[in-house]
Amino acid sequence: MTDDSTYRAGDADRSEALDRLGTYFADGFLTVHEFDERSGRAAGAQTHGELASLFDDLPGLSASNRAEPPAHRMGSEVAAQEELDDVLARNRKVQAVDAVIWSVTMIAFFLGLFVFHWNFFWVVFPVAALASWGARAVFQLSDEEEELAEELTQKEKEERAERLRLAAEKRRELGQ
């Protein structure tokens, strides 16, 4: 059986260890001095064993967690982030295609109704709905993925608005 503690640690492993130390510090398990000392050791760690030893006396770590290299846990997080980025990119593409479809639909509707006096000017709406549905099929965007992307986009907009509001308040406080 191979001892994982002798495997070389990479930047991602050291970064994950630093994040965990920050959590322990924020939760009050480490003093400022201990945090500084352990952070320095984490930044210079060359093996998973050196990283694991930083957490030996801290609660919440079982032997199996210490033996598992942090990179294995981070791999699934990275894959999840990449999958989320893919969903968000596909959602942006679908939104762009929808904007074009419905813009052309409205132009065709008004032209058909007022300029060309078509009897079946309303047909453009079912055609547009089918085209919009087809865009989702082409980009393989499910309803759940679209809802998630919309929810995340809305949350990002709200967070940005809050950041801007706080910046405006600080600017007013400083008299600028």
Side-chain angles (χ1 to χ4, degrees):
M1 186 165 141
T2 306
D3 183 13
D4 289 342
S5 65
T6 60
Y7 288 152
R8 299 282 295 186
D11 289 340
D13 302 318
R14 287 185 282 275
S15 177
E16 193 268 341
L18 288 168
D19 289 343
R20 289 175 51 208
L21 286 172
T23 301
Y24 280 114
F25 175 68
D27 290 344
F29 290 103
L30 298 172
T31 65
V32 172
H33 175 72
E34 290 172 321
F35 176 72
D36 287 341
E37 185 267 330
R38 290 183 194 215
S39 294
R41 286 179 33 210
Q46 295 182 351
T47 66
H48 288 282
E50 292 173 14
L51 292 174
S53 69
L54 299 171
F55 302 96
D56 284 340
D57 62 337
L58 295 171
L61 292 176
S62 65
S64 64
N65 285 345
R66 283 195 300 267
E68 180 184 346
H72 292 315
R73 290 190 302 272
M74 288 188 62
S76 63
E77 292 173 15
V78 169
Q81 285 297 325
E82 288 174 354
E83 186 176 2
L84 180 60
D85 289 343
D86 178 57
V87 168
L88 292 172
R90 286 186 285 139
N91 185 60
R92 281 190 297 275
K93 291 175 185 174
V94 166
Q95 286 180 340
V97 169
D98 269 353
V100 170
I101 289 171
W102 289 100
S103 295
V104 169
T105 299
M106 294 309 294
I107 291 168
F109 171 75
F110 286 112
L111 286 176
L113 181 63
F114 296 116
V115 176
F116 300 115
H117 304 289
W118 293 337
N119 291 330
F120 296 102
F121 57 87
W122 55 268
V123 170
V124 295
F125 291 111
V127 170
L130 285 174
S132 194
W133 174 79
R136 283 156 179 74
V138 167
F139 290 108
Q140 299 175 347
L141 188 67
S142 70
D143 291 340
E144 294 83 14
E145 290 172 336
E146 189 170 9
E147 287 177 22
L148 175 64
E150 292 298 326
E151 181 181 317
L152 290 174
T153 302
Q154 183 62 32
K155 188 173 182 175
E156 286 174 1
K157 287 179 182 178
E158 290 170 1
E159 289 172 354
R160 182 174 186 268
E162 181 64 19
R163 283 193 311 270
L164 292 174
R165 187 187 62 74
L166 290 173
E169 285 179 15
K170 285 187 181 202
R171 183 174 283 182
R172 279 192 294 267
E173 288 173 6
L174 296 173
Q176 294 180 345

